[in-house]
Amino acid sequence: KNEVEQSPQNLTAQEGEFITINCSYSVGISALHWLQQHPGGGIVSLFMLSSGKKKHGRLIATINIQEKHSSLHITASHPRDSAVYICAVRGTNFGNEKLTFGTGTRLTIIP
Amino acid sequence: DGGITQSPKYLFRKEGQNVTLSCEQNLNHDAMYWYRQDPGQGLRLIYYSQIVNDFQKGDIAEGYSVSREKKESFPLTVTSAQKNPTAFYLCASSYRGQRRFFGPGTRLTVL
């Protein structure tokens, strides 16, 4: 079993829909990252959080440490949001610099 | 503009050859990382460096080598000992355990 599991693996939605991507992990963590990878391959860091909730524009990330679960929400989705969204965790046992990555959720927004 | 650059974008290697992938950052970050991405898998850590002239093996260091002679530069050499080097390689940097900044990636293909 992978230490970081994302769901769904693939998600297709209509423009304007509210999107939720989930990430579950099995180890104690010190931080969780949400990343966005565009078709060309470049990766952008969206959020790093260790508790509660963060918001940036139409993106919202939440984390529940007790349940070992995080969600990434996109409001008023747009075709330019189409990308692979990756969850990664920094474990308390891994050392400060190592992240364990999920395999990503491929999101496609149809106009 | 601050950021991370990687070159080349595409690289072709003949079997038995060593090749070097370049990674440069002007963000004044202390930590730099090399990741490998294969289809259907999460990113995997090859090497990381937290300070000049020091680096640590990641999860899949066999067949790779790095150097960190300057804060700005962290080149990765893929040696002939790496049996399956075809992959997408991503360089990243961060400041003291904060969010990762990623380069655009190098796609390496063995001919």
Side-chain angles (χ1 to χ4, degrees):
Chain A
K1 186 180 186 299
N2 292 332
E3 290 173 337
V4 180
E5 297 276 356
Q6 290 187 235
S7 63
Q9 285 189 313
N10 295 282
L11 177 58
T12 300
Q14 293 287 334
E15 183 174 355
E17 285 190 37
F18 181 81
I19 303 298
T20 296
I21 297 170
N22 298 298
C23 175
S24 296
Y25 52 91
S26 57
V27 296
I29 68 167
S30 56
L32 182 142
H33 298 247
W34 279 105
L35 310 170
Q36 180 191 56
Q37 185 170 30
H38 279 282
I43 292 178
V44 174
S45 175
L46 299 174
F47 296 103
M48 186 180 85
L49 64 167
S50 55
S51 65
K53 173 180 170 179
K54 287 191 175 182
K55 184 176 187 292
H56 182 70
R58 295 180 295 106
L59 300 177
I60 304 166
T62 64
I63 188 168
N64 185 317
I65 297 294
Q66 287 73 27
E67 294 186 4
K68 292 186 168 60
H69 181 268
S70 176
S71 293
L72 177 68
H73 305 286
I74 304 175
T75 62
S77 59
H78 189 276
R80 65 175 175 267
D81 297 326
S82 297
V84 175
Y85 292 84
I86 300 170
C87 170
V89 300
R90 189 175 77 211
T92 55
N93 295 328
F94 299 157
N96 208 33
E97 299 302 327
K98 293 182 69 175
L99 299 179
T100 300
F101 294 81
T103 55
T105 293
R106 184 174 300 276
L107 174 66
T108 303
I109 303 297
I110 300 171
Chain B
D1 286 339
I4 301 182
T5 57
Q6 289 185 242
S7 61
K9 188 172 183 179
Y10 298 97
L11 185 58
F12 298 91
R13 188 193 95 167
K14 293 182 181 178
E15 288 201 19
Q17 275 185 336
N18 293 352
V19 291
T20 297
L21 283 58
S22 168
C23 177
E24 305 275 334
Q25 55 96 2
N26 61 4
L27 300 165
N28 200 34
H29 286 168
D30 290 308
M32 296 187 73
Y33 316 82
W34 275 106
Y35 296 99
R36 170 177 171 144
Q37 188 176 39
D38 294 282
Q41 296 189 40
L43 276 71
R44 291 182 290 168
L45 182 65
I46 305 173
Y47 269 98
Y48 67 99
S49 168
Q50 294 179 265
I51 195 169
V52 173
N53 291 324
D54 186 50
F55 47 83
Q56 307 295 327
K57 291 183 179 180
D59 298 319
I60 54 165
E62 185 175 349
Y64 300 97
S65 65
V66 293
S67 63
R68 186 87 186 275
E69 297 176 2
K70 298 187 299 182
K71 189 175 187 178
E72 302 80 18
S73 179
F74 192 40
L76 174 74
T77 296
V78 185
T79 74
S80 56
Q82 170 49 239
K83 297 307 177 190
N84 186 23
T86 294
F88 187 57
Y89 291 87
L90 285 153
C91 179
S93 70
S94 71
Y95 178 71
R96 296 187 181 180
Q98 297 303 307
R99 288 166 53 178
R100 301 279 197 274
F101 286 76
F102 287 82
T106 292
R107 195 166 298 279
L108 173 63
T109 303
V110 174
L111 301 174

